[in-house]
Amino acid sequence: MAKESGSSKIEMLEISNEAMAEAQSSKIEMLEINNEAMAEAQSSKTVTMKPAEAEESKTETQKITDEESKNVPIAATEEESKKLSITKVEESKNAATATTEGEKEEAKVSLKTLDGVTFEVEAWIAKEMETVQAYIDDTSADTSAAIAIPLHNVAGRELARMVEYCKEHRRASVSAGNLKEFEERFAAALNLYEMKDLIIAANYLNTKKLLESLSRCIAKAIKNKSVEFVRDYFGVTNDYTTEEEAQYRETNAWAFRNVDEDSRN
Amino acid sequence: MEMLPLEICMKIFCLLDYQHLAVAQQVCRKWKLVASDNTLWSNLFKERWGEDHAAFYAPMGSKSWKDVYEVQDRCDRIGLGMKIIREGIDYYLVHQGEIQRHLGSRKNHEKETGHNSHTLNSEIDFNGEGSLAEERSCRGILDRILFFIGDLEVASAEAKRSRVI
């Protein structure tokens, strides 16, 4: 296991170097590792790399967002640390960075929803959905690239919203103010019933941040609402008898000390 | 419409205060169970009155945290003394936040007066000799006095609270 992870780290480092469009002259061993990495990359892809695709990948590299451009200093540090002796801390940092870069370049997860729509999402978004991540961990790494993961309980509209939330949440999480503003904007765009459908989907996929955010929104929505409204909204059947209902209403009357008798009914 | 799973309901209930939990309890039987959860109410109690208070007033026997919260809320509203109060349409004799006696109901009283019914709902013991009509008349007067005192307490509670602040 340790050896495999070590070799995968080395491969990731090489891939990240290629992704950063940095060419290096190296020793015979480095050349051999390069060849092995290239061979594996080509074998894992259906289409062989062509000069046109290489140019496309470079073009994509140039479209790096602000967050990704922040990784450039880390990469520079990575290069310097390579020349010097690499400490454990920096090694783990570089490995994490390499993993992120590698996943962005190669690993995309296919998700097939209840109504037959297939979504291609980044691996880090799939990681947010713990149910999906558990599924990926259970299957082998080779087959997960080819097979779309079926999501039997999630509709395409909800999944699109969840993916959008994860992307913008990550972008907005740079500062607390932006994050709060984003969450308010996201919630304002949904009506109550869409919010309810989305929280059911988030619960199934175990997307924790979205789940907490939506719980807060729904709690805010049902505050100061009547019992009848809450029943309709949540689709709950009233299984109280008339006498029981009247009894419980009176039993809980202590909580409505400032509410008029007429307006409460 | 699809019903929300219970774990989501519990997440949402954690964010509600006691009034909204009281509404939730009236929605259906299952919600009554979930919204009566001791963890929810003990958290509300600690939030409002502090950990030390919660440790001191922790419920014993068959009591629940909701009961303890209710009693403490009444203490805040009307103090520790013996008082007649109204909650909803019912009148109670209360001492140290605990209900000692149910005194009557405005609704039943209006029915009695309106329909000239012979059924008497007041729980006041009346030891007196006389005709049935005379008894009913006296009880009506007593109910009016008691209800007036209860209404007076409700009306003045807000003024008392603002004075304390």
Side-chain angles (χ1 to χ4, degrees), chain A residues 193 196 200 203 216 218 224 230-231 234 236 239-240 244 248 250 252 254-255 257-258 261, chain B residues 1-2 4 7-8 12 15 18-20 25-29 31-32 70 77 87 89-90 158:
Chain A
Y193 297 96
K196 198 188 79 173
I200 292 174
N203 183 61
R216 227 174 295 124
I218 291 182
N224 303 314
V230 175
R231 277 194 198 119
F234 284 94
V236 176
D239 55 355
Y240 285 133
E244 270 178 333
Y248 289 140
E250 291 312 315
N252 287 305
W254 64 275
R257 62 186 184 277
N258 292 325
E261 190 173 310
Chain B
M1 300 295 292
E2 190 178 345
L4 282 183
E7 57 263 30
I8 297 185
I12 294 171
L15 303 166
Y18 69 96
Q19 277 185 356
H20 309 119
Q25 286 187 353
Q26 300 175 47
V27 168
C28 71
R29 294 172 195 269
W31 275 45
K32 185 174 191 299
E70 189 177 326
R77 278 189 279 129
E87 289 184 348
I89 61 174
D90 290 288
E158 197 63 41

Side-chain angles (χ1 to χ4, degrees), chain A residues 201-220:
Chain A
N203 183 61
Y204 174 69
L205 294 181
N206 209 350
T207 310
K208 283 198 162 62
K209 288 176 187 141
L210 181 57
L211 202 54
E212 287 171 13
S213 177
L214 289 175
S215 294
R216 227 174 295 124
C217 294
I218 291 182
K220 196 180 294 182

Side-chain angles (χ1 to χ4, degrees), chain A residues 36-222:
Chain A
E36 289 176 2
M38 289 294 292
E40 288 181 5
Q42 288 179 1
S43 64
S44 66
K45 291 181 180 178
T46 307
V47 180
T48 308
M49 287 288 294
K50 294 179 179 178
E53 289 183 1
E55 290 177 0
E56 286 180 359
S57 65
K58 288 183 179 179
T59 307
E60 288 176 359
T61 305
Q62 292 173 0
K63 294 181 179 177
I64 291 173
T65 61
D66 291 339
E67 288 185 353
E68 289 176 344
S69 64
K70 291 180 182 177
N71 292 330
V72 174
I74 299 175
T77 306
E78 180 178 329
E79 289 301 316
E80 293 176 1
S81 63
K82 260 190 171 181
K83 296 177 182 178
L84 305 175
S85 62
I86 300 174
T87 61
K88 287 185 178 180
V89 176
E90 287 175 345
E91 188 172 8
S92 65
K93 283 184 181 179
N94 297 336
T97 305
T99 303
T100 304
E101 295 288 343
E103 282 180 353
K104 283 183 179 178
E105 286 300 319
E106 289 199 344
K108 285 228 177 185
V109 182
S110 294
L111 306 176
K112 188 172 185 179
T113 60
L114 169 70
D115 45 3
V117 182
T118 302
F119 286 77
E120 293 279 341
V121 301
E122 308 283 358
W124 64 269
I125 291 181
K127 210 163 199 173
E128 290 285 324
M129 307 172 181
E130 297 188 6
T131 305
V132 170
Q133 187 60 36
Y135 186 96
I136 294 172
D137 292 339
D138 287 344
T139 59
S140 68
D142 296 333
T143 56
S144 68
I147 299 175
I149 298 171
L151 305 177
H152 300 295
N153 297 346
V154 182
R157 191 180 60 173
E158 273 74 48
L159 188 59
R161 287 209 172 96
M162 291 173 71
V163 171
E164 178 199 345
Y165 177 89
C166 289
K167 287 180 177 176
E168 294 198 28
H169 186 275
R170 178 172 164 137
R171 188 172 309 160
S173 62
V174 177
S175 74
N178 282 351
L179 185 57
K180 189 175 181 181
E181 179 187 337
F182 159 71
E183 289 198 351
E184 286 172 359
R185 204 168 2 99
F186 186 82
L190 302 169
N191 67 37
L192 291 184
Y193 297 96
E194 288 168 345
M195 202 179 290
K196 198 188 79 173
D197 291 336
L198 191 53
I199 198 173
I200 292 174
N203 183 61
Y204 174 69
L205 294 181
N206 209 350
T207 310
K208 283 198 162 62
K209 288 176 187 141
L210 181 57
L211 202 54
E212 287 171 13
S213 177
L214 289 175
S215 294
R216 227 174 295 124
C217 294
I218 291 182
K220 196 180 294 182
I222 65 174

Side-chain angles (χ1 to χ4, degrees), chain B residues 83-102:
Chain B
K83 283 193 168 70
I84 297 170
I85 65 168
R86 167 169 71 87
E87 289 184 348
I89 61 174
D90 290 288
Y91 293 84
Y92 300 100
L93 185 66
V94 171
H95 178 52
Q96 291 187 354
E98 302 254 11
I99 291 176
Q100 307 297 315
R101 193 184 187 100
H102 178 263

